[in-house]
Amino acid sequence: MALRHAAPLSLPCRSAMRMVPATLVLALAACAAPPPSRPAPAAQVVAPARLDAAAAQGAAQGEGAAALDQWWTAWGDPALDRLVDAALAANTDLRVARAHVEAARALASVAEAALYPTIAAQGAGWGNAGDTGIDGTAGSVLSPFTRGATGGGYLVGLGAQWEPDIFGGRHADVAAAQAMAGGVDWMAQGVRLMVVADVVENYQQWRGLEARLALLDQSLEATRALTAYVAARQGTGQASKPDLTRAQAAAASLEATRPQLLALIDARRRRLAILSGALPEAMVDVVPRRGGSSDLAVPPPPSGQWPSTILERRPDVRASMAMVAARAAKLKSYKADLYPRFSIGFSGQNGELGLSGLPGFGGTMGLLNVKASVPIFTGGLLRGRIAAGQAELEGALAAQDRTVLSSLEEVETAYGLRAGFDARVAGLVSARTLSARRADEAQAFYRAGRVTLGDVLQARLDTLSDADKLEQARIAQRSATVQLYRALGGGWSPPAPGPSVSSAHPALPVLQGSSPR
């Protein structure tokens, strides 16, 4: 059979052949279509319209309307204000939190860098000298080029590479990194809130313990006087030995509580020194002993507080919302990996090469390339990432629900505790007033000869005991107040003006019952 040469393809046929690879790529890309869409997960907790606490309802007015970002100033103590300022300036926990914020912002900048082209310059230069020989006929021919040959050259170039984000995957990575940085920033604000509350809590406890120590010293003085009086009456046969033993036991019991109070006072002072960024041994300079009564003004519970504003203000809730936004953006990035990716590259070079005895070579060259890649088979890698991202988003939404519920519980509990201690303080104030009146009456009856000195001293001890109970209740009342301000999210500086909460954190509408965008 004779063989014949095939006729050359016509121009339309050659164009069709060139289209075959592109058609094949598009056909295979169809296999990488995204999975069927699932309903977008949403938070399940809806914020109530109002709080149950009566003190939180109604319009904010009077001292209760004071700005929550500096609520500690409502206590009316300049020394406390100075301690808070010192803690905000030098506290080690805040320094760690600020470092974490800077690191998170830097990582967000790293993610942003993927949106822009990368440009790099390169260059090289070389030179050589040699004196070699080749035997035989070839050596005689090439001798002019091998004996004492020298040469040199250089090469410089500029290259650029850019991947257009056609399907939004890289922009989603940037959004996720920015949301994570925002979450870290909110957590740092939460640390600030906790540090301020810790300072106020330890300060008011220290002042209350100092007041209790002063009351204890007065009680010890009265007990010693009562013991001396009972001993004198025993000497005259007007009191028995058990009476004296009972008075001495009471004095010893009071005396035994003094070292414990001193230890608690020093512990609060050391804590305040540490919170201010000082050594615990510096407590003498940071928090000098004061003594006397605790005259701290206890601010009233803030009114005009609504669940929606509380949740928007609390740093832990905002941090959980930022995490939801980050997980949602990351899921979008995972889904974008199913689509084709394109990149554009450019490379330009200029160089020269010369060798003695040979013609030199030099010139400029440029190259432009466009690349495309489509995921065909990844062994389930991409779909696995999407499934993991979906689960992470659902977990972040569940964590947000948990944070919202815990926040509302803390607020309601704090309002309830404050109301309970307010009632207890009011009752103990009445009891102390009555016991003080009884002590005054006993003193008057003693002058009239109707009661003994022992009755006067015992009435005095009862008054001091009621005063100590009142001081303990006031310490608890002030602690409940600190807990309330902490629960309301007061004690951090508002962020710089920027996007609204609903635009920066798409999970916020979930708090009002709608689904995330």
Side-chain angles (χ1 to χ4, degrees), residues 68-83:
L68 291 179
D69 58 342
Q70 292 187 339
W71 57 269
W72 58 90
T73 58
W75 296 69
D77 193 320
L80 174 59
D81 299 341
R82 289 191 295 269
L83 283 172

Side-chain angles (χ1 to χ4, degrees), residues 224-422:
R224 294 188 187 104
L226 179 60
T227 302
Y229 172 74
V230 173
R233 287 178 59 86
Q234 184 195 15
T236 60
Q238 297 177 339
S240 63
K241 181 64 175 178
D243 294 335
L244 178 59
T245 302
R246 184 168 57 252
Q248 291 172 340
S253 178
L254 287 175
E255 188 71 42
T257 60
R258 198 173 193 281
Q260 181 184 8
L261 276 179
L262 288 173
L264 290 175
I265 290 172
D266 287 343
R268 297 292 180 269
R269 295 168 68 201
R270 290 191 191 93
R271 181 60 183 165
L272 288 170
I274 292 295
L275 289 171
S276 302
L279 294 172
E281 292 79 10
M283 66 177 183
V284 177
D285 300 323
V286 177
V287 192
R289 291 289 302 273
R290 296 182 59 169
S293 62
S294 174
D295 53 356
L296 279 175
V298 183
S303 57
Q305 301 298 315
W306 306 97
S308 58
T309 57
I310 293 172
L311 294 177
E312 188 171 351
R313 184 172 58 241
R314 280 188 57 127
D316 56 344
V317 175
R318 298 295 294 269
S320 67
M321 292 163 54
M323 184 59 68
V324 170
R327 295 304 185 191
K330 202 61 183 176
L331 177 59
K332 181 180 179 181
S333 174
Y334 291 150
K335 291 180 177 179
D337 288 339
L338 294 171
Y339 298 98
R341 299 178 67 171
F342 303 90
S343 65
I344 302 174
F346 169 78
S347 176
Q349 293 183 342
N350 179 274
E352 183 176 337
L353 173 64
L355 185 64
S356 62
L358 291 176
F361 173 79
T364 302
M365 180 183 68
L367 177 65
L368 179 66
N369 65 82
V370 178
K371 298 179 181 179
S373 64
V374 181
I376 302 300
F377 176 74
T378 61
L381 173 64
L382 300 183
R383 294 177 183 271
R385 286 178 178 173
I386 293 174
Q390 189 82 14
E392 289 174 348
L393 176 58
E394 293 173 356
L397 285 166
Q400 176 182 296
D401 286 343
R402 180 186 59 197
T403 305
V404 169
L405 291 174
S406 299
S407 301
L408 295 174
E409 178 193 16
E410 289 178 9
V411 173
E412 295 283 10
T413 300
Y415 268 113
L417 287 175
R418 173 59 196 265
F421 284 117
D422 285 350

Side-chain angles (χ1 to χ4, degrees), residues 100-129:
H100 288 167
V101 171
E102 293 299 325
R105 290 175 178 172
L107 291 176
S109 300
V110 171
E112 281 186 37
L115 299 177
Y116 304 102
T118 58
I119 302 175
Q122 58 184 2
W126 62 90
N128 69 286

Side-chain angles (χ1 to χ4, degrees), residues 399-484:
Q400 176 182 296
D401 286 343
R402 180 186 59 197
T403 305
V404 169
L405 291 174
S406 299
S407 301
L408 295 174
E409 178 193 16
E410 289 178 9
V411 173
E412 295 283 10
T413 300
Y415 268 113
L417 287 175
R418 173 59 196 265
F421 284 117
D422 285 350
R424 177 168 174 76
V425 167
L428 290 174
V429 167
S430 299
R432 187 196 59 176
T433 302
L434 292 174
S435 63
R437 183 185 306 171
R438 176 174 173 272
D440 293 339
E441 292 172 350
Q443 183 72 24
F445 288 156
Y446 173 71
R447 290 173 181 170
R450 298 176 57 182
V451 298
T452 64
L453 180 59
D455 296 329
V456 175
L457 293 174
Q458 186 60 52
R460 173 66 174 163
L461 283 172
D462 293 341
T463 302
L464 292 172
S465 177
D466 289 341
D468 183 67
K469 293 177 183 177
L470 175 59
E471 188 58 44
Q472 293 184 56
R474 283 176 172 167
I475 292 174
Q477 179 193 40
R478 292 191 291 262
S479 295
T481 304
V482 174
Q483 180 178 342
L484 175 58

